[in-house]
Amino acid sequence: VPIYRQIYESIAGAIRSGALCDSFRLPPTRELAGQLGLNRTTISAAYQLLEEDGLLHGEVGRGTFVRYHRPARKPMETISFSTSRPAQEEFPLSDFGLSCQEVLSSHSAGDILQLGSPLGYPPLREYLLEQARKDGSAGPDDDVLVTSGCQQAIDLIQRVLVRDGVPVLMEDPVYHGLKTVFLRGGCSVVGVPVGEAGLDVDLLPAIARQSAAKFLIVTPNFQNPTGTTLPLAARQSIVETAEIAGLSVVENDIYSSLRYFGEPLPTLRSLSRQSSALLLGSFSKVAFPGLRVGWIIANRKTIARLAESRQWWDLHTDQLSQAVLYRFAESGRLATHLSKVRRLGMERVAAAAKACERYLPSGSSFTQPEGGMNLWVRLPGALNTAELRTQAEKEGVSYLAGDYFAVSHSTANCLRLSFGSLTPDEITDGISRLGRLFRQEVDRLQHQNNFELSPGLV
Amino acid sequence: VPIYRQIYESIAGAIRSGALCDSFRLPPTRELAGQLGLNRTTISAAYQLLEEDGLLHGEVGRGTFVRYHRPARKPMETISFSTSRPAQEEFPLSDFGLSCQEVLSSHSAGDILQLGSPLGYPPLREYLLEQARKDGSAGPDDDVLVTSGCQQAIDLIQRVLVRDGVPVLMEDPVYHGLKTVFLRGGCSVVGVPVGEAGLDVDLLPAIARQSAAKFLIVTPNFQNPTGTTLPLAARQSIVETAEIAGLSVVENDIYSSLRYFGEPLPTLRSLSRQSSALLLGSFSKVAFPGLRVGWIIANRKTIARLAESRQWWDLHTDQLSQAVLYRFAESGRLATHLSKVRRLGMERVAAAAKACERYLPSGSSFTQPEGGMNLWVRLPGALNTAELRTQAEKEGVSYLAGDYFAVSHSTANCLRLSFGSLTPDEITDGISRLGRLFRQEVDRLQHQNNFELSPGLV
């Protein structure tokens, strides 16, 4: 970086961070050049850039002054990158209403509104099993349990299968709700680092060995929070490691239908003949998360065990929602909605990637999700995203800080951007605001450093 | 009991139990009178009753013969007294469909189908709190948590509030799903006997003291399985005992709106200023139990604690069902349905009581529920209702045996009759079949005994 540019960035940072306040008089170029032992043209070039940015203005006969007003806060709606949920405005309400009406006018309406089975609404179960059989995720000895959303599936697995407090392996960073269920259940959780291509399969065997874990929970598609996807070879590698290490694989596959780019990849469960593998699914990431319907596919014996327990805990999953979602799916309306959601998702990811490229401070990196609704940003190391949240919210943007998702490794300079319920314009606007804030922070930190190094700079 | 009647019952029992088979020739009256050292007219009177019952017939010149054919089993639908659920045929489907349609065409449809609050759907919460405030069950410092049915409410209370495995007091007999949740949660459960008027409040103080329990779970109205109701004085007594013994009272009030006779009584929570009391409610016993919506009313702090935990376990209760049930209630449709359900419930209880009076073996007793959907039968002591279930099912009747509900005291000669989903005719028919079976069993046991006492009787 040329010297005039370094000086420019250093002063700009000092101005934006408030270290140099509005109307502060800067030393003349000649004076500052003398202090720094530099050529006067170097200082002039820096001042010129600052003037182009509108941060300095010269007054004839008086000198050069800082001109900086913290942008007046317009009343604005917060752009929330905080929650990984589908866009409410895109819910296909009329198709949903139609599905509901068809269910309630059918001859089985009474049965649906009566108490049901702990295993779930039979037609929905058959539909889900059939889907899973088609892609090889379920075999003849497998069964399905409908849960009250995927969150309950995770809790059930913890309570019934992992009670003993054995160590559980999971991606690091990972969805906070997953980590918390196991921690609250008295388990120890061990993180397996996630890289650009999902869970690091090269580290997995050693971590499995050292931890003596019996379970691995993994999200192969568009992982939350990173948005990364495991390539085929990594999936095969996980299956092999699991077999060697005796790990039961819990495959959290709630995002897989939201693929915007690239070809679908096989589930871990379809690659493996491991009988102890569990596959979790949900409708909630496609639409209507207010309806709590998820499912677990596993071998018959495990499903029976889980169902036996869950009946004592909440009898069964709400049957109206099961029946309406089943009707919504088997009528083809889900497929129609999915193709719309995928098109919009593609636009969202593109907008997010473009805005990250453009606005994030240099030295940042971010993931390039092929689907889902989350993107992971890594800022220059010194930035602390948890501390910056308050300022971001003042700028009308919210996100979740990286450490919220950390398991065994700190990710204090990272953040999750959930774009699933935002328009491309909102995504661009939000990331530009965040980018400005993060760049200011980089400047401020750099200025602090420079200031310490050369206190007489300005 | 006159002697001729004892002989009649003894022979009738022997015939019905199969000990005396069809076409067996009975000794002439004179011969039997001689063997037993009785007057011949006594034997004649007994034979005459048996002939009137169609169990004996005389053939001129040949003697007196047993005539008994086990009634041919007609193909019949099983009359199930097994499950405490509302009658599906009476679900107000069109009112429900209308409520659903109104919810989905309202401007808040999108919000309802989006992720919601762990505490529940705000309008439903406000409605439930308002109801509870009206009858004094909730005060200004109280709050409500909507759960996925009352079963989840019980599980949440166990997991969050009673984790330490402290002893929990409950009615004995008690709803099996309540006992099981606490046992599976590692708590010890201590039964407080239930009499004709609910939990025995005279025994409660000593049991509370001896067990050092911290929780008491009680169903003041139409308790499951006994159908009994706590009188006002007993409620007051429980509140006092709880205060003295430091017991938190969990009041399971899911049946209270199903009162068919008598005046409503105040909830324990309205009688007490005890801040640790919890009140559980549900729509499921009135209609649509396939929708999993229940609630807990407690002080704000406890509700916050429960909600904080439940969000990790299943996020929140299904919001479509919450919104539709709220619409169903606040539109007045629930009240319309309730008045119908109460009228039909009255007919059911009347039919059940009449049939019990008429068909149960002498020495039986049964409760007289003022509401709800369960009635408790105590048969003569030697009968084992668990063993008789298979035979009952062959006769096309099912029920749950008393010991299924036992906590600390055996109730092997008892059974629960759940009549909520049966017509009065089915109730009468079912109890008459059960009565015949139980009378046969009394006879069989009596016959065995008589046979031992006087082997030469017949």
Side-chain angles (χ1 to χ4, degrees):
Chain A
V1 185
I3 294 177
Y4 78 92
R5 184 117 206 140
Q6 289 180 39
I7 292 170
Y8 153 72
E9 285 184 350
S10 153
I11 297 176
I15 293 171
R16 288 204 186 91
S17 71
L20 293 178
C21 62
D22 185 51
S23 305
F24 180 90
R25 184 171 167 275
L26 284 174
T29 51
R30 194 177 37 200
E31 195 181 319
L32 187 56
Q35 283 176 9
L36 297 173
L38 295 170
N39 196 308
R40 188 180 162 186
T41 54
T42 306
I43 306 300
S44 294
Y47 276 28
Q48 195 177 335
L49 284 179
L50 289 163
E51 198 176 358
E52 283 169 15
D53 281 1
L55 292 170
L56 292 186
H57 69 115
E59 290 183 23
V60 175
R62 295 195 58 222
T64 305
F65 296 86
V66 168
R67 175 151 66 186
Y68 184 68
H69 296 284
R70 195 190 159 76
R73 210 169 312 132
K74 297 163 280 184
M76 55 186 163
E77 211 147 280
T78 294
I79 297 174
S80 171
F81 290 105
S82 297
T83 56
S84 182
R85 59 171 76 176
Q88 193 168 313
E89 299 71 33
E90 292 153 18
F91 286 173
L93 289 179
S94 70
D95 270 6
F96 183 83
L98 212 56
S99 304
C100 211
Q101 211 176 304
E102 286 164 4
V103 162
L104 291 176
S105 61
S106 79
H107 66 275
S108 50
D111 287 334
I112 288 161
L113 303 176
Q114 185 55 279
L115 283 171
S117 159
L119 286 163
Y121 177 57
L124 175 63
R125 294 179 63 224
E126 191 41 53
Y127 172 85
L128 296 171
L129 265 183
E130 183 56 32
Q131 298 286 316
R133 280 189 211 111
K134 268 187 204 158
D135 76 359
S137 296
D141 295 330
D142 292 327
D143 204 351
V144 63
L145 170 69
V146 180
T147 60
S148 300
C150 186
Q151 190 68 30
Q152 191 193 38
I154 295 168
D155 183 46
L156 273 179
I157 290 169
Q158 188 279 311
R159 280 181 98 177
V160 179
L161 304 178
V162 203
R163 317 187 102 172
D164 306 313
V166 294
V168 175
L169 302 185
M170 52 188 65
E171 289 134 334
D172 189 1
V174 81
Y175 164 54
H176 189 246
L178 195 152
K179 176 180 63 173
T180 305
V181 164
F182 285 91
L183 285 174
R184 291 177 74 113
C187 303
S188 67
V189 302
V190 180
V192 183
V194 173
E196 292 295 307
L199 180 144
D200 188 329
V201 294
D202 295 333
L203 295 175
L204 181 61
I207 297 176
R209 215 171 23 248
Q210 283 155 21
S211 63
K214 290 280 160 265
F215 282 86
L216 165 66
I217 302 164
V218 60
T219 305
N221 297 304
F222 331 130
Q223 194 245 359
N224 183 1
T226 63
T228 55
T229 297
L230 283 168
L232 180 58
R235 294 174 191 231
Q236 283 160 336
S237 167
I238 288 175
V239 165
E240 279 162 30
T241 303
E243 273 167 20
I244 293 165
L247 287 171
S248 295
V249 176
V250 179
E251 185 173 6
N252 182 11
D253 202 29
I254 58 176
Y255 291 102
S256 62
S257 60
L258 297 177
R259 177 176 276 281
Y260 316 134
F261 305 100
E263 285 303 304
L265 292 167
T267 62
L268 296 170
R269 204 167 196 281
S270 72
L271 291 174
S272 155
R273 285 172 306 279
Q274 194 198 31
S275 65
S276 65
L278 295 101
L279 178 65
L280 314 187
S282 171
F283 290 121
S284 292
K285 298 301 176 184
V286 180
F288 318 129
L291 277 67
R292 307 302 308 135
V293 179
W295 59 88
I296 306 175
I297 287 169
N299 72 59
R300 230 179 267 287
K301 205 178 137 194
T302 303
I303 292 298
R305 240 181 109 187
L306 291 166
E308 202 277 328
S309 284
R310 86 79 56 91
Q311 75 176 322
W312 300 112
W313 295 332
D314 70 350
L315 302 192
H316 61 75
T317 297
D318 194 283
Q319 220 162 225
L320 174 61
S321 290
Q322 287 188 74
V324 176
L325 285 176
Y326 166 65
R327 180 70 197 131
F328 185 73
E330 58 107 30
S331 63
R333 290 170 195 139
L334 173 63
T336 305
H337 180 58
L338 253 177
S339 64
K340 176 182 159 191
V341 164
R342 286 192 190 120
R343 182 174 48 73
L344 295 167
M346 196 182 278
E347 292 171 15
R348 290 186 170 105
V349 170
K354 197 172 157 193
C356 283
E357 190 68 60
R358 183 161 170 192
Y359 297 113
L360 293 180
S362 63
S364 304
S365 65
F366 56 93
T367 55
Q368 305 263 9
E370 293 174 11
M373 39 182 71
N374 299 296
L375 181 148
W376 185 249
V377 171
R378 186 177 297 273
L379 296 174
L383 272 63
N384 186 307
T385 55
E387 287 170 8
L388 288 163
R389 276 187 70 198
T390 316
Q391 275 174 266
E393 270 161 29
K394 282 184 196 153
E395 301 291 338
V397 193
S398 75
Y399 61 81
L400 290 183
D403 268 348
Y404 193 68
F405 305 97
V407 183
S408 312
H409 306 85
S410 170
T411 48
N413 61 323
C414 300
L415 66 149
R416 184 185 79 171
L417 296 180
S418 296
F419 50 77
S421 54
L422 300 173
T423 65
D425 281 352
E426 288 169 328
I427 291 168
T428 306
D429 187 14
I431 294 177
S432 101
R433 292 189 215 175
L434 286 177
R436 189 164 57 232
L437 171 68
F438 297 152
R439 290 195 316 271
Q440 280 171 22
E441 179 69 1
V442 169
D443 289 345
R444 194 185 64 82
L445 293 171
Q446 212 160 35
H447 178 69
Q448 277 187 339
N449 292 341
N450 286 348
F451 202 80
E452 282 163 20
L453 289 169
S454 52
L457 175 61
V458 286
Chain B
V1 186
I3 295 177
Y4 78 93
R5 185 126 200 128
Q6 289 180 38
I7 292 171
Y8 153 72
E9 284 184 350
S10 151
I11 296 175
I15 293 172
R16 288 204 187 93
S17 71
L20 294 178
C21 63
D22 185 52
S23 305
F24 181 89
R25 185 171 167 274
L26 285 173
T29 51
R30 193 178 37 199
E31 195 180 320
L32 187 56
Q35 283 174 10
L36 298 172
L38 295 169
N39 196 306
R40 189 181 163 184
T41 55
T42 308
I43 307 300
S44 295
Y47 276 28
Q48 196 178 332
L49 285 178
L50 290 164
E51 197 175 359
E52 282 168 14
D53 280 0
L55 293 170
L56 293 187
H57 69 116
E59 288 185 23
V60 176
R62 296 193 59 220
T64 304
F65 296 87
V66 169
R67 176 153 62 189
Y68 184 68
H69 296 283
R70 195 191 161 76
R73 210 169 311 132
K74 296 164 280 184
M76 53 187 165
E77 211 150 278
T78 293
I79 297 173
S80 172
F81 290 104
S82 296
T83 56
S84 182
R85 59 171 75 176
Q88 193 169 314
E89 299 71 33
E90 291 152 19
F91 287 173
L93 290 181
S94 71
D95 271 7
F96 183 84
L98 212 56
S99 305
C100 210
Q101 212 176 306
E102 286 164 5
V103 162
L104 291 178
S105 61
S106 79
H107 65 277
S108 49
D111 286 334
I112 288 161
L113 302 177
Q114 186 54 278
L115 282 172
S117 160
L119 286 162
Y121 178 58
L124 175 63
R125 293 180 64 223
E126 192 39 57
Y127 172 86
L128 295 171
L129 266 181
E130 184 56 33
Q131 298 286 317
R133 281 189 210 109
K134 268 187 204 159
D135 75 359
S137 296
D141 295 330
D142 292 326
D143 204 351
V144 63
L145 170 68
V146 181
T147 59
S148 300
C150 186
Q151 189 68 30
Q152 191 193 37
I154 295 169
D155 184 46
L156 274 178
I157 290 168
Q158 188 279 311
R159 282 182 96 176
V160 179
L161 304 177
V162 204
R163 314 188 105 172
D164 306 313
V166 295
V168 175
L169 302 184
M170 53 189 65
E171 290 134 333
D172 191 1
V174 80
Y175 164 54
H176 188 245
L178 196 153
K179 176 180 63 170
T180 305
V181 164
F182 285 91
L183 286 174
R184 292 178 74 114
C187 304
S188 67
V189 302
V190 180
V192 183
V194 173
E196 292 294 309
L199 180 143
D200 189 327
V201 294
D202 296 332
L203 295 175
L204 181 61
I207 296 176
R209 216 169 26 246
Q210 282 156 20
S211 63
K214 291 279 159 268
F215 282 85
L216 165 66
I217 302 164
V218 61
T219 304
N221 297 303
F222 331 129
Q223 193 245 359
N224 182 3
T226 63
T228 56
T229 297
L230 282 168
L232 181 59
R235 293 173 192 233
Q236 283 159 337
S237 167
I238 287 175
V239 164
E240 280 162 30
T241 302
E243 274 167 21
I244 294 164
L247 286 172
S248 295
V249 176
V250 180
E251 183 173 8
N252 182 11
D253 203 28
I254 57 175
Y255 291 103
S256 62
S257 60
L258 295 178
R259 178 176 276 282
Y260 316 135
F261 307 98
E263 285 303 303
L265 292 168
T267 62
L268 296 170
R269 203 166 196 281
S270 72
L271 292 174
S272 156
R273 286 173 306 280
Q274 192 198 34
S275 65
S276 65
L278 295 102
L279 178 65
L280 314 188
S282 171
F283 290 119
S284 292
K285 299 302 178 183
V286 181
F288 317 129
L291 277 67
R292 307 303 308 136
V293 179
W295 58 87
I296 306 175
I297 287 169
N299 71 60
R300 230 179 268 286
K301 204 178 135 195
T302 303
I303 292 298
R305 237 181 111 191
L306 291 167
E308 202 277 327
S309 285
R310 86 78 58 92
Q311 76 175 320
W312 300 113
W313 295 332
D314 70 350
L315 303 192
H316 62 74
T317 296
D318 194 285
Q319 220 161 227
L320 174 62
S321 290
Q322 288 187 74
V324 176
L325 285 175
Y326 166 64
R327 180 70 197 132
F328 184 73
E330 58 105 31
S331 62
R333 291 171 194 138
L334 173 63
T336 305
H337 180 57
L338 253 176
S339 64
K340 176 182 158 191
V341 164
R342 287 192 188 117
R343 181 173 50 72
L344 294 168
M346 197 183 279
E347 291 171 15
R348 290 187 171 105
V349 169
K354 197 172 157 194
C356 283
E357 190 68 61
R358 183 161 171 194
Y359 296 114
L360 294 179
S362 63
S364 303
S365 65
F366 56 92
T367 55
Q368 305 264 9
E370 292 174 12
M373 40 181 71
N374 299 295
L375 181 149
W376 186 250
V377 171
R378 187 175 297 273
L379 297 174
L383 271 64
N384 184 308
T385 55
E387 287 171 7
L388 288 163
R389 276 186 73 197
T390 316
Q391 274 175 266
E393 271 162 28
K394 280 184 197 152
E395 301 290 338
V397 193
S398 74
Y399 61 82
L400 290 183
D403 268 348
Y404 193 68
F405 305 97
V407 182
S408 312
H409 307 85
S410 172
T411 46
N413 61 325
C414 300
L415 66 151
R416 183 185 79 172
L417 296 181
S418 296
F419 49 79
S421 54
L422 299 174
T423 64
D425 281 352
E426 287 170 328
I427 291 168
T428 306
D429 186 13
I431 294 178
S432 102
R433 290 189 215 176
L434 286 177
R436 189 165 57 231
L437 171 68
F438 297 152
R439 291 196 315 272
Q440 278 171 23
E441 180 69 0
V442 169
D443 289 346
R444 194 184 65 83
L445 294 171
Q446 214 162 30
H447 179 70
Q448 278 185 342
N449 292 343
N450 286 351
F451 200 79
E452 281 161 24
L453 289 169
S454 51
L457 175 61
V458 286

